[in-house]
Amino acid sequence: DTEVTQTPKHLVMGMTNKKSLKCEQHMGHRAMYWYKQKAKKPPELMFVYSYEKLSINESVPSRFSPECPNSSLLNLHLHALQPEDSALYLCASSQDWTTRNGEAFFGQGTRLTVV
Amino acid sequence: AQSVTQLGSHVSVSEGALVLLRCNYSSSVPPYLFWYVQYPNQGLQLLLKYTTGATLVKGINGFEAEFKKSETSFHLTKPSAHMSDAAEYFCAVTNTGGFKTIFGAGTRLFVKA
């Protein structure tokens, strides 16, 4: 199994809503990532988890809250988002973030629209 | 700091023609380089990667790339374009710490019938 599965595929939420994005992988990878991708732009790193611990936060606003319940799951909790947060949110995993030759496997993404 | 520059935001080729997508990198350490493809409303799929060893790297779907240290380049090629190759292509490099994939701006490939 070389898949990273993200749910939901599409999400529309109001600015006062609370929602969560989910990501799952069963490749035994110990590093998991959240990326944000705006239209016609490359993905931008948001968070990195290594061995279920938050290792990197790329100065992401607190309205985005990541969680790693176990080595296979990664969540992104959303609260009080703004319309400019509308984007494709990509989850990725890699074997180990300390091994630079480990490529990242990406999920299909969640298309988020904030209204 | 590591970075990649993709030359040309859009490339258009005819079906059956050579595909050449250009990527130049900047890295203070030996780079690990990647090419990813993204189809509309999809995630990213790894085409190929260069870590060490052979400088000509073969990937999936008939793509290959050559690492040229003297030119700091990692251009992606395919001898004969197919309509299904139409997509966004990203060149990427991992940062020194290894935890971050740094993407180029992307090149949209159009394939004409």
Side-chain angles (χ1 to χ4, degrees):
Chain A
D1 184 2
T2 58
E3 282 194 355
V4 175
T5 303
Q6 290 187 243
T7 55
K9 288 188 170 27
H10 301 275
L11 178 62
V12 179
M13 60 184 292
M15 290 188 285
T16 58
N17 291 159
K18 287 185 180 181
K19 297 287 184 181
S20 297
L21 308 184
K22 297 185 183 302
C23 174
E24 189 168 5
Q25 58 88 13
H26 295 288
M27 294 178 278
H29 288 172
R30 304 315 302 264
M32 296 186 76
Y33 311 79
W34 281 114
Y35 283 83
K36 174 182 179 180
Q37 187 180 23
K38 300 284 278 184
K40 302 186 189 304
K41 296 290 187 183
E44 295 178 350
L45 183 66
M46 300 174 71
F47 302 103
V48 180
Y49 272 83
S50 178
Y51 291 84
E52 301 158 49
K53 296 272 191 289
L54 181 63
S55 300
I56 301 291
N57 177 340
E58 293 281 278
S59 303
V60 179
S62 60
R63 58 186 183 270
F64 295 90
S65 175
E67 178 197 21
C68 190
N70 60 55
S71 61
S72 299
L73 294 175
L74 185 66
N75 298 322
L76 185 63
H77 303 298
L78 314 172
H79 174 55
L81 295 193
Q82 303 297 310
E84 59 264 29
D85 295 322
S86 298
L88 182 68
Y89 287 84
L90 294 164
C91 174
S93 70
S94 65
Q95 184 176 8
D96 184 332
W97 75 318
T98 62
T99 58
R100 291 179 59 227
N101 63 348
E103 74 265 25
F105 290 78
F106 284 81
Q108 297 297 293
T110 294
R111 175 71 63 187
L112 174 67
T113 303
V114 181
V115 297
Chain B
Q2 284 71 28
S3 66
V4 289
T5 301
Q6 292 184 241
L7 303 176
S9 58
H10 297 86
V11 170
S12 182
V13 300
S14 297
E15 192 172 21
L18 171 72
V19 175
L20 171 60
L21 304 182
R22 300 176 187 272
C23 173
N24 288 91
Y25 70 89
S26 172
S27 178
S28 56
V29 297
Y32 286 12
L33 295 159
F34 307 86
W35 275 100
Y36 285 89
V37 61
Q38 186 176 32
Y39 298 99
N41 297 312
Q42 299 279 318
L44 278 73
Q45 181 182 13
L46 181 71
L47 282 175
L48 48 81
K49 67 177 180 179
Y50 169 79
T51 53
T52 57
T55 57
L56 182 62
V57 181
K58 294 188 184 299
I60 63 171
N61 302 339
F63 285 93
E64 62 182 37
E66 186 171 9
F67 171 67
K68 291 187 177 180
K69 184 177 178 181
S70 61
E71 298 177 8
T72 61
S73 68
F74 190 57
H75 301 332
L76 182 71
T77 60
K78 182 175 181 178
S80 177
H82 192 272
M83 297 295 287
S84 61
D85 294 326
E88 187 86 22
Y89 291 80
F90 292 99
C91 181
V93 63
T94 50
N95 70 333
T96 306
F99 62 83
K100 185 172 181 176
T101 301
I102 300 165
F103 291 91
T107 297
R108 170 73 67 177
L109 176 65
F110 297 92
V111 182
K112 301 175 290 186

